[in-house]
Amino acid sequence: MYLAKEAKIVLANVPVDINNLAVTGDYVSMKGFGHCTMILQFGAVGTGTALTLKQATDVTNSLSDEKALSYDKIYINIGLTTTDLTETTVTSDTYTVSSANSNLYVIEIDARELDITNGFDCVRFDLASGAGTTILSVIYILSDPRYDQNSVNAIVD
């Protein structure tokens, strides 16, 4: 399988130094997709740095209606000493990022988990401010296309 042919790969944020900086990922529209995989990669982060998810009715949040998106598990690889991801429980829709060096986090979201009844079809991540100089890079992989995935632009409504 060629992932680039089967899914839409979207840069959620440019690589950024998160030292004492909260990071808000770009919204991505799931109107044309059934699933979104968020992949976060970074080094050491200050303790207590909270990772949450948000949903909105459009990619610019023009109605200022964003709200929390519930999630209860995350897949992690702390220290990158193995290629395995460990399924980990998330409490109260917030995961506290590890202060260890070299971390990989994967969050899986199905479109049906969003508040589609009220028109919410866009999703993004939020990372609270953390201490310690490190680079964060995040990509979204949109899959399970409802249409020809090449005809769907996931960063505009």
Side-chain angles (χ1 to χ4, degrees), residues 31 40 47 75 137:
K31 283 181 185 173
L40 300 89
T47 57
Y75 299 88
S137 178

Coordinates of all heavy atoms in Angstrom, one line a residue, residues 31 40 47 75 137:
K31 N -15.1 16.2 6.7 CA -16.3 16.1 5.9 C -16.2 14.9 4.9 O -17.1 14.2 4.6 CB -16.7 17.3 5.1 CG -17.3 18.4 6.0 CD -17.6 19.6 5.1 CE -18.1 20.8 6.0 NZ -18.2 22.0 5.2
L40 N 2.1 12.9 16.6 CA 2.9 14.0 17.3 C 4.2 13.4 17.6 O 4.4 12.4 18.2 CB 2.2 14.5 18.5 CG 0.8 15.0 18.4 CD1 -0.3 14.0 18.5 CD2 0.6 16.1 19.5
T47 N 7.1 18.9 32.5 CA 6.0 18.1 33.1 C 4.7 18.9 33.2 O 4.7 20.1 33.3 CB 6.5 17.6 34.5 OG1 6.8 18.8 35.3 CG2 7.7 16.7 34.4
Y75 N -1.9 6.3 21.8 CA -0.8 5.2 21.6 C 0.5 6.0 21.7 O 0.7 7.0 21.1 CB -1.0 4.6 20.2 CG -2.3 3.9 20.1 CD1 -3.5 4.6 19.7 CD2 -2.5 2.6 20.5 CE1 -4.7 4.0 19.6 CE2 -3.7 1.9 20.4 CZ -4.8 2.6 20.0 OH -6.0 2.0 19.9
S137 N 6.5 18.4 16.0 CA 6.0 18.4 14.6 C 4.7 17.4 14.7 O 4.8 16.4 15.3 CB 7.0 17.8 13.7 OG 6.5 17.7 12.4

